[in-house]
Amino acid sequence: MREDRIVDYSDYRETLELVRDRNEGALSPFTFICVTLILILMGGLTLYSASYPEAISKGLPHYYFILKQGIFALLGLFAAIIINYIPEKWLKISSYLLLALSFILLLLTLFSPFGVSVMGARRWLDLPLIPSFQPSEIAKLALILFLSTFFSDENFKKYLGWYYLIPILIILVFSALILMQKAYTTTILFLLTGLILCLSGGFKLRYIITFVAFLTPPALFLLLSESYRVKRIASFLFPGLDPTGLEWQVNMSLSAIKEGGLFGKGLGNGYYKLGSLPEVQNDFIFSSFAEECGFVGIFILFILFFLFMVLGMRACQRERIRNKFFSNLALGITMMIIIQVLINIFVVTGLLPPTGIPLPFFSQGGTNLFVIIIECGLLYRVIKDSVKVRNG
């Protein structure tokens, strides 16, 4: 008579879970590369579709804007590849150098003849031998690198008082310089990212709340000191107040999104980009994308950004104990890009007052795309490192 045997499946389950985790981890870097490249490709196609009518109307080749964007994209990809071979120690050292460089560039933009003003905003720097660019975009990357380096050093926690003021002073000084360029939304994005990193780095919540409370009165004063900002807020709070101005822009944006329907009109077949949508290749490019790609295209875009966020935050969590520099880096980059995406989409759908902020990977702006791709290169490095640690 055969004896009954009790089979212990616990070791078998643990082995299966280990294999599953390793397979999932091994796919993370590859998945991130696919998501990033798809976003770059979708952004390029959308920008070409949105910008070629304006290029033709100005007597330029139909590929003029996408060619400029493509050059910055290639430069960004080249820089992102190089970054993956730079030792971590040199990345930390370069954070201080990049912070100093961006500070000098911001000063040159504001107080030198190389600064360029467009529509009242002095945000561009036109130096000899290189294309004009926006130093504020470089400053955003510099802030993430600096704060990631600063908070990865455990020695700072041994000090109290004035030592804690170093990151706060850095955030305030750079925010003031960006604000002087009349880039109000970029300043808010800069502050939010900085405060998130400070909170993650060990600042107590009450310090952050005190800092925000301290900034609120001057921020409101600056917000209300410019008539165009007051007009934007009033138009947002009281629909119908400016039906032919700012409200018209949002209404056209919503109409374009609605016209897209389920599958869209097809890439290149949009109508609203022909003059109805303001800044269609910049701030309102999402509306043009929605008209031509429909709800299905919007759904795919949201899935891609959601995957981007999940991969970034997962890498941040995995590196939290072992490598705080990489963990902070993943957090700062992920939050900077996702917050920018949310602000842009909220604006074009009327959930926030109209303001100028590009949609990452999509909007025209070589500097923005160049920096974002570099940030993706850094984030890929963190994801790859976190997978190595997890798999042992």
Side-chain angles (χ1 to χ4, degrees), residues 113-135:
F114 298 112
V116 178
S117 297
V118 179
M119 298 178 65
R122 196 176 179 88
R123 305 173 187 174
W124 289 265
L125 189 61
D126 190 7
L127 296 175
L129 304 177
I130 59 175
S132 59
F133 62 96
Q134 289 184 270

Side-chain angles (χ1 to χ4, degrees), residues 12-29:
Y12 178 69
R13 289 196 187 108
E14 289 178 4
T15 303
L16 281 180
E17 289 179 3
L18 180 61
V19 171
R20 183 189 62 190
D21 288 346
R22 287 192 174 185
N23 289 336
E24 179 187 354
L27 286 174
S28 293

Side-chain angles (χ1 to χ4, degrees), residues 95 139-149 193 197 325 328-334 336 375:
S95 67
K140 290 191 293 187
L141 175 59
L143 176 75
I144 293 173
L145 279 168
F146 168 75
L147 292 181
S148 298
T149 302
T193 307
L197 284 172
F325 171 69
N328 293 331
L329 203 59
L331 176 65
I333 291 171
T334 304
M336 177 77 78
E375 290 174 344

Side-chain angles (χ1 to χ4, degrees), residues 95 98-106 133-146 170 174-175 177-178 181 186 190 193 336 367 371 375:
S95 67
L98 188 62
L99 191 73
L101 176 63
S102 59
F103 177 73
I104 294 171
L105 293 176
L106 287 172
F133 62 96
Q134 289 184 270
S136 59
E137 297 294 338
I138 300 174
K140 290 191 293 187
L141 175 59
L143 176 75
I144 293 173
L145 279 168
F146 168 75
I170 293 293
F174 276 78
S175 297
L177 291 175
I178 295 173
Q181 298 179 356
T186 303
F190 193 90
T193 307
M336 177 77 78
T367 314
V371 172
E375 290 174 344

Side-chain angles (χ1 to χ4, degrees), residues 244-256:
T244 60
L246 295 173
E247 187 182 349
W248 176 82
Q249 296 178 1
V250 176
N251 287 338
M252 289 297 100
S253 173
L254 293 174
S255 297

Side-chain angles (χ1 to χ4, degrees), residues 262-276:
L262 184 60
F263 297 104
K265 295 181 177 180
L267 197 63
N269 296 325
Y271 165 77
Y272 283 83
K273 67 186 178 186
L274 301 177
S276 299

